[in-house]
Amino acid sequence: MKRPHVVTLSRVCCSLAAMLATLAACLLVMPLSLHTTAQNAEAFKAEMTVRADQPKGTINRNIYGNFAEHLGRDIYDGIWVGENSPIPNTRGIRNDVIAALKNLNLPVLRWPGGCFADEYHWRDGIGPRGQRPKRLNTSWGGVIETNAFGTHEFMDLCELIRADPYVSGNVGSGTPQEMMDWLEYMTSDSDSTLANLRRQNGREKPWKVPYFGVGNESWGCGGNMRPEHYADEYRRYATFVKSYSGNRIQRIASGANAEDYNWTEVLMSQAGGRMQGLSVHYYTLPTGDWNKKGSATQFGETEWHSTLLRTLRMEELLQKHSAIMDKYDPQKRVGLMVDEWGTWYDPEPGTTRPSILYQQNSLRDAIVAGINLNIFQQHADRVQMANIAQTVNVLQAVILTDKEKMILTPTYYVFEMYKTHQGATLIPVELTAPEYKLGQASVPALYASASRDKDDKLHLSIVNLDPNRPAQISMKIVGASAKSITGRVLTAPAMNSVNTFDKPETVKPARFTGIQVQGDQITLSLPSKSIVVLEIQ
Ligand code: AHR
């Protein structure tokens, strides 16, 4: 893995207190490998009020975005197989993946990196494929990058799945001129040499590129810059990120590594007025230790709990980064873009190429996704985009492929169940629920978020973090009637249940039958370790 050089103290995400609490939990709790919980455990009780009478702002649909990098088998194999592949494809892009992503209503897709973005030179990826140069992908294992998948192929993918492109530009090893030229090539309708080169390469009409990243992790793999230096570089590069031919570009500055609040402070104070978005990256590691992150599938309740505890830190990060942004941008003009998030585990056992960052995806990942998406929604006033890392075969992927086979991960289904929240109005949820404790550490047992769509339907997503106990929730809705309530539930027999190429449907949504209505009184019975999405109309 090419990451340790950017592993700072701030990346080792847990506080001392949380680490001690986890250690205490380790001592108190027997490791439960492949643990299946008792189905007849007593339910814990909770109360929930959905305040449909107090609508908030709009949930930006871009928080349901994805990120696909030239890393491992994300682009090559996962998305791109080439026109001559026996795997069914459209102009080289896998048909099964196109259909799966289209079904998610994926709003936005970030590309080509990640760390790869700051070593990518766009001219390598245009023109006849046979003549494109082969480069070393020094960020990810030193493999040969054939450049078969370049700008035209990426834009084709976005059009096929109807997602907006979010292109990350190269600040680390590129020039402002190169960045400017790329935008002219992609978006200009003029008779310029670059626009004509695009036409010559098969694309008459310019594309729309609404989002452009000015560097990636410029504190680390994107150039190891100090925030003051990057703020100046940002100002220089962003000057040449221009809007051509009616394309209205949003410039997104490379943001903080997790709780590096000073980065946000410096960027906002020195360049805040010149950006439309500022990113932040935060990964969930079960142990919080980059040298021994924890397994994707071989874990017990201790790591289940510590993973959820660490993923909940997203709440604090968003609050604190938002508070800094509020000082410089009280109008909330600049979006906080969580353009990399998700779980990051140790390489799969027996892997010969750890740099491909392939990992299985279990029910625990689905719970992580459900919590994070609920958190992003709660911060709808500032969080304008989020991009899970990554789309196919890398980190917390929504899709896994093995040659001609494809499976949808538990995380995929969370995105699919939550898509009803996209672009809807945030509705507050008041929740009184117990904590789910392990040793000295505790997390809320439930995490919920609600919205109202343009047809006046309410959607409520509830995560039960407790792997042992079902939840019995007494629910009230204020400001809307509930003539019909239906829902879907995602759960599985074990915390580490996964979908495999042989058994692809172990974790998938089912109809939710735990709804009881008596007059105004609604009772929900959620299984342990589950995610429920209700539709109320
Ligand atoms: O998503 C994998 C890597 O994580 C990205 O390339 C980089 O931006 C981050 O550190």
Side-chain angles (χ1 to χ4, degrees), residues 3 11 67 69 71 110 114-116 140 216-217 219 221 281 283 340 344 357 389-390 395:
R3 303 299 299 133
R11 260 251 145 130
F67 163 42
E69 179 169 11
L71 191 182
R110 178 174 183 248
C115 296
F116 181 77
W140 301 112
N216 168 76
E217 296 195 349
W219 43 262
C221 63
H281 289 180
Y283 284 96
E340 287 186 31
W344 194 324
L357 305 189
Q390 299 196 3
L395 298 178

Side-chain angles (χ1 to χ4, degrees), residues 289-532:
D289 177 355
W290 282 90
N291 296 315
K292 200 167 184 346
K293 298 180 264 299
S295 161
T297 50
Q298 301 299 304
F299 61 87
E301 192 172 348
T302 303
E303 283 200 356
W304 167 278
H305 194 279
S306 64
T307 304
L308 304 189
L309 184 76
R310 290 196 164 82
T311 221
L312 282 159
R313 286 201 60 236
M314 185 66 89
E315 174 72 55
E316 178 191 329
L317 294 174
L318 298 186
Q319 259 173 31
K320 292 189 173 167
H321 285 293
S322 298
I324 296 167
M325 293 174 81
D326 286 351
K327 279 201 292 179
Y328 300 97
D329 174 35
Q331 308 300 324
K332 298 188 192 290
R333 190 190 54 77
V334 181
L336 182 55
M337 317 305 215
V338 191
D339 60 15
E340 287 186 31
W341 67 274
T343 53
W344 194 324
Y345 304 123
D346 288 333
E348 292 286 310
T351 190
T352 50
R353 291 171 58 206
S355 63
I356 69 172
L357 305 189
Y358 179 86
Q359 64 190 36
Q360 243 300 3
N361 194 290
S362 73
L363 179 64
R364 179 177 61 172
D365 294 86
I367 300 281
V368 165
I371 292 172
N372 277 293
L373 293 170
N374 280 349
I375 293 175
F376 299 151
Q377 295 197 169
Q378 298 311 312
H379 290 270
D381 59 339
R382 181 61 84 177
V383 177
Q384 289 182 16
M385 190 192 289
N387 309 73
I388 193 168
Q390 299 196 3
T391 308
V392 192
N393 295 328
V394 169
L395 298 178
Q396 193 176 346
V398 296
I399 293 171
L400 300 176
T401 65
D402 180 13
K403 304 186 186 73
E404 76 291 352
K405 293 188 189 163
M406 179 196 82
I407 53 174
L408 306 176
T409 65
T411 298
Y412 176 93
Y413 288 117
V414 177
F415 275 75
E416 200 259 325
M417 289 165 73
Y418 276 52
K419 68 184 176 187
T420 49
H421 288 305
Q422 291 185 16
T425 302
L426 182 68
I427 297 293
V429 178
E430 294 164 2
L431 184 59
T432 312
E435 298 277 294
Y436 157 44
K437 289 193 178 146
L438 195 67
Q440 299 303 306
S442 67
V443 295
L446 294 175
Y447 225 82
S449 183
S451 69
R452 180 161 57 208
D453 71 10
K454 59 180 178 357
D455 300 323
D456 252 4
K457 288 182 197 152
L458 289 175
H459 293 102
L460 176 61
S461 43
I462 314 169
V463 186
N464 181 1
L465 285 69
D466 193 319
N468 304 311
R469 292 193 301 160
Q472 196 184 81
I473 307 172
S474 253
M475 181 173 81
K476 270 198 230 129
I477 302 168
V478 182
S481 57
K483 294 199 187 70
S484 115
I485 309 180
T486 54
R488 290 202 299 160
V489 58
L490 187 72
T491 188
M495 294 182 290
N496 58 354
S497 292
V498 295
N499 293 335
T500 64
F501 293 98
D502 295 330
K503 286 196 180 157
E505 302 204 335
T506 304
V507 192
K508 69 180 262 208
R511 195 164 73 86
F512 178 55
T513 53
I515 308 167
Q516 277 192 318
V517 184
Q518 275 184 331
D520 277 358
Q521 192 52 55
I522 303 162
T523 308
L524 306 172
S525 302
L526 266 67
S528 61
K529 53 181 175 0
S530 67
I531 298 157
V532 165

